[in-house]
């Protein structure tokens, strides 16, 4: 996406001294990586990652202790110990980093750097989802204690096509020997290169200086960056945040739904309360077949797949009067028709009266994991169909944010390949 005006009104990506694991000090690079903090299913995922290697990055992004203050202190102490022990080390030259993810027929490349922070109304970095203040507070406490950006956000922009500007540098760099390459359990090969040549850095920063970006993943961390910037008098390192920028004109992202697991609402009660205001009907399983039925129904309007007891139910065709009563009218029609909008306003708030709080709702990226958790806890899994990327972009350009956790862009960058110190 290109911004109007001069270079001062676009992305300002700067090199930094990346903090990286020293391979000789860890079991393997794959064993110390983690998915982003909000994708790790707790507590099973945390326990599994901690057991993979004593230096797994999850000990920094999701420290385990009794209170938030104790967790943050523990993460800060762990980071300090790893630096003192030579487990992590800063690269000698400041640079940008070309990052590649490759699996079967999928290839994604982008650039990791420290991006100058700008508010949403500047129109340079566009959010598309709302955030929860308590999550921002949690992430701010962790970043404040560690004085580090522990994982990059995923941002997208639209370049001018192959062989131009930043793309030319990315492709030329990816033809060289990488700094590191490792294969994680999900089958992805992750490779990282440093870009330190002044001419190449100038080509990248000059190209991006005329562009705007969409936050694909990491809204809470971006809001955290902005909150912490306010706490520090500029200029400081807190004026920048760690990001991965992907040119989706060259490497389109995958867009998936984020599902809900309602911890305290049994499936039978959820279905009974939806009856009369929605069309509720059973569909055949197993899960892949039921998801196909959801995809078909989503072509015709709002549709949700509910399960939790081994059976599957489609919830579709909301009563128009219900929508008028429950969905706010001061937003574009495309926003009012979003599944996430209708789910939160009409089902969760109006019919089910389920508060949007962690003790009531778990947000899970994997459909099978959502179903398994619902069955284990006697709750209700609400599965959604993905929103098209063009809908997300159009709303973001209008300055309209979607309900939080409406989309999951990917593949997401692995956490632990490169960190940024603000100390």
């Amino acid at each position: 996406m290109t911004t109007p005006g001069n270079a001062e009104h676009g992305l300002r990506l700067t090199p930094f001294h990346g903090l990286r694991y020293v391979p000789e000090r860890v079991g393997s690079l794959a064993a110390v990586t983690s998915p982003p903090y909000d994708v790790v299913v707790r507590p099973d995922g945390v326990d599994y990652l901690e057991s993979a290697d004593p230096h797994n990055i999850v000990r920094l992004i999701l420290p385990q202790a009794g209170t938030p203050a104790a967790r943050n202190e523990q993460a800060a102490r762990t980071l300090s110990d790893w630096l003192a022990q030579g487990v992590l080390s800063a690269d000698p030259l400041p640079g940008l980093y070309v990052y590649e993810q490759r699996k079967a027929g999928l290839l994604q490349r982008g650039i990791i750097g420290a991006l100058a922070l700008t508010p949403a109304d500047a129109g340079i970095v566009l959010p598309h989802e709302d955030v929860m203040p308590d999550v921002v507070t949690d992430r701010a406490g962790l970043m404040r204690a560690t004085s580090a950006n522990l994982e990059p956000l995923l941002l997208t922009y639209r370049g001018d096509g192959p062989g131009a500007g930043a793309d030319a540098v990315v492709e030329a760099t990816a033809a060289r020997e990488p700094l590191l390459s490792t294969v994680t359990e999900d089958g992805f090969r992750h490779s990282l290169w440093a870009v330190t040549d002044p001419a190449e850095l100038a080509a990248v920063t000059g190209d991006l200086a005329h562009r705007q970006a969409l936050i694909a993943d990491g809204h809470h961390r971006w809001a955290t960056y902005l909150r912490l910037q306010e706490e520090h008098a500029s200029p400081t390192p807190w004026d920048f945040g760690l990001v991965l920028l992907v040119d989706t004109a060259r490497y389109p992202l995958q867009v998936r739904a984020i599902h809900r697991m309602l911890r305290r609402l049994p499936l039978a009660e959820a279905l009974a309360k939806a009856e009369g205001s929605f069309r509720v009907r059973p569909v055949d399983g197993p899960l892949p077949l039921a998801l196909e039925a959801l995809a078909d129904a989503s072509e015709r309007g709002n549709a949700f797949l509910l399960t939790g007891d081994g059976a599957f139910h489609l919830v579709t065709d909301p009563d128009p009067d219900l929508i008028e009563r429950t969905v706010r009218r001061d937003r574009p029609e495309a926003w009012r028709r979003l599944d996430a909008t209708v789910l939160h306003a009409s089902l969760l708030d109006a019919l089910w009266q389920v508060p949007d709080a962690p003790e009531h709702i778990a947000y899970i990226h994997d459909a099978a994991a959502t179903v398994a958790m619902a069955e284990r806890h006697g709750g209700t899994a609400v599965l959604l169909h993905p929103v098209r990327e063009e809908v997300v972009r159009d709303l973001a350009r209008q300055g309209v944010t979607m309900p939080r956790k409406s989309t999951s862009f990917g593949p997401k960058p692995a956490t632990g390949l490169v960190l940024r110190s603000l100390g």
Side-chain angles (χ1 to χ4, degrees), residues 384-404:
L384 289 82
H385 190 66
V387 181
R388 297 194 320 277
E389 183 177 356
E390 52 266 35
V391 173
V392 177
R393 289 189 182 280
D394 287 345
L395 289 172
R397 285 194 180 105
Q398 296 176 61
V400 178
T401 54
M402 300 167 66
R404 73 185 193 90

Side-chain angles (χ1 to χ4, degrees), residues 310-390:
F312 298 94
H313 306 264
L314 269 181
V315 175
T316 62
D317 302 291
D319 180 350
D321 289 340
L322 174 69
I323 300 300
E324 283 303 305
R325 287 197 317 272
T326 58
V327 177
R328 56 191 296 179
R329 298 184 180 90
D330 60 344
R331 296 292 177 93
E333 194 60 28
W335 183 91
R336 300 186 77 240
R337 292 198 305 265
L338 291 171
D339 285 339
T341 299
V342 173
L343 171 62
H344 280 264
S346 303
L347 280 168
L348 290 169
D349 291 351
L351 298 182
W352 292 337
Q353 298 180 334
V354 174
D356 191 0
E359 60 268 26
H360 290 276
I361 304 178
Y363 291 85
I364 306 171
H365 292 72
D366 181 76
T370 310
V371 173
M373 186 177 290
E375 291 177 349
R376 194 161 60 241
H377 294 283
T380 296
V382 182
L383 307 182
L384 289 82
H385 190 66
V387 181
R388 297 194 320 277
E389 183 177 356
E390 52 266 35

Side-chain angles (χ1 to χ4, degrees), residues 11-52:
L11 301 168
R12 184 154 66 97
L13 193 69
T14 63
F16 67 105
H17 294 270
L19 281 182
R20 296 189 295 111
Y21 280 99
V22 177
E24 296 78 16
R25 300 303 306 271
V26 298
S28 73
L29 289 175
V32 294
T33 63
S34 164
Y37 81 97
D38 57 340
V39 182
V40 177
V41 178
R42 304 172 71 173
D44 296 348
V46 174
D47 295 340
Y48 178 78
L49 290 166
E50 285 187 344
S51 66

Side-chain angles (χ1 to χ4, degrees), residues 85-156:
Q85 297 161 8
V87 175
L88 289 168
S89 179
D91 285 333
L93 295 175
L96 301 175
Y97 295 84
V98 170
Y99 174 49
E100 176 186 284
Q101 293 161 278
R102 184 188 291 268
K103 178 182 179 181
L106 190 152
L107 173 64
Q108 179 172 289
R109 289 178 181 147
I111 306 171
I112 295 175
L115 184 66
L117 306 180
T118 53
D121 59 13
I124 296 172
V125 177
L126 304 175
H128 72 267
E129 287 186 356
D130 295 329
V131 298
M132 292 189 71
D134 60 331
V135 178
V136 177
T137 298
D138 175 74
R139 291 293 101 185
L142 181 64
M143 284 190 207
R144 198 182 291 117
T146 57
S147 290
N149 297 154
L150 301 173
E151 46 187 340
L153 283 64
L154 176 60
L155 273 60
T156 74

Side-chain angles (χ1 to χ4, degrees), residues 29-346:
L29 289 175
V32 294
T33 63
S34 164
Y37 81 97
D38 57 340
V39 182
V40 177
V41 178
R42 304 172 71 173
D44 296 348
V46 174
D47 295 340
Y48 178 78
L49 290 166
E50 285 187 344
S51 66
D53 189 284
H55 301 110
N56 189 283
I57 194 71
V58 79
R59 295 179 184 272
L60 299 183
I61 63 171
L62 290 172
Q64 301 301 293
T67 66
R71 290 195 292 272
N72 297 335
E73 290 169 9
Q74 180 175 300
R77 186 168 56 251
T78 299
L79 178 57
S80 177
D81 290 346
W82 289 358
L83 289 167
Q85 297 161 8
V87 175
L88 289 168
S89 179
D91 285 333
L93 295 175
L96 301 175
Y97 295 84
V98 170
Y99 174 49
E100 176 186 284
Q101 293 161 278
R102 184 188 291 268
K103 178 182 179 181
L106 190 152
L107 173 64
Q108 179 172 289
R109 289 178 181 147
I111 306 171
I112 295 175
L115 184 66
L117 306 180
T118 53
D121 59 13
I124 296 172
V125 177
L126 304 175
H128 72 267
E129 287 186 356
D130 295 329
V131 298
M132 292 189 71
D134 60 331
V135 178
V136 177
T137 298
D138 175 74
R139 291 293 101 185
L142 181 64
M143 284 190 207
R144 198 182 291 117
T146 57
S147 290
N149 297 154
L150 301 173
E151 46 187 340
L153 283 64
L154 176 60
L155 273 60
T156 74
Y157 71 100
R158 304 287 290 181
D160 294 329
D167 179 77
V169 175
V170 168
E171 298 307 308
T173 302
R176 303 167 189 160
E177 189 70 21
L179 285 175
L180 64 88
S181 187
T182 189
V183 179
T184 47
E185 273 193 349
D186 56 7
F188 273 97
R189 176 170 290 279
H190 306 265
S191 301
L192 195 75
W193 296 259
V195 179
T196 58
D197 178 81
E200 292 184 324
L201 291 173
V204 172
T205 57
D207 182 18
L208 296 177
H210 302 276
R211 307 197 183 280
Q212 66 180 179
L214 174 75
I215 300 176
D217 186 68
H219 284 81
H220 287 93
R221 283 166 284 163
W222 182 258
T224 300
Y225 288 169
L226 294 175
R227 178 183 293 188
L228 293 174
Q229 181 188 32
E230 292 178 355
E231 297 177 5
H232 297 80
S234 296
T236 71
W238 298 92
D239 293 327
F240 298 81
L242 187 64
V243 304
L244 166 64
L245 278 163
V246 174
D247 176 2
T248 52
R250 182 67 181 262
Y251 297 106
L253 295 183
Q254 299 174 330
V255 187
R256 295 190 173 93
I258 301 177
H259 311 291
R260 278 72 167 153
M261 200 288 282
L262 312 182
R263 302 178 186 275
R264 301 180 182 178
L265 183 68
L267 177 62
E269 183 179 344
L271 295 171
K273 289 183 175 179
E275 286 273 13
S277 298
F278 286 79
R279 181 186 178 194
V280 178
R281 65 187 188 277
V283 293
D284 293 334
L287 179 59
L289 187 63
L291 288 172
E292 288 181 13
L294 173 64
D296 291 341
S298 295
E299 294 291 326
R300 298 183 293 275
N302 297 121
F304 311 96
L305 182 65
L306 271 59
T307 186
D309 62 356
F312 298 94
H313 306 264
L314 269 181
V315 175
T316 62
D317 302 291
D319 180 350
D321 289 340
L322 174 69
I323 300 300
E324 283 303 305
R325 287 197 317 272
T326 58
V327 177
R328 56 191 296 179
R329 298 184 180 90
D330 60 344
R331 296 292 177 93
E333 194 60 28
W335 183 91
R336 300 186 77 240
R337 292 198 305 265
L338 291 171
D339 285 339
T341 299
V342 173
L343 171 62
H344 280 264
S346 303

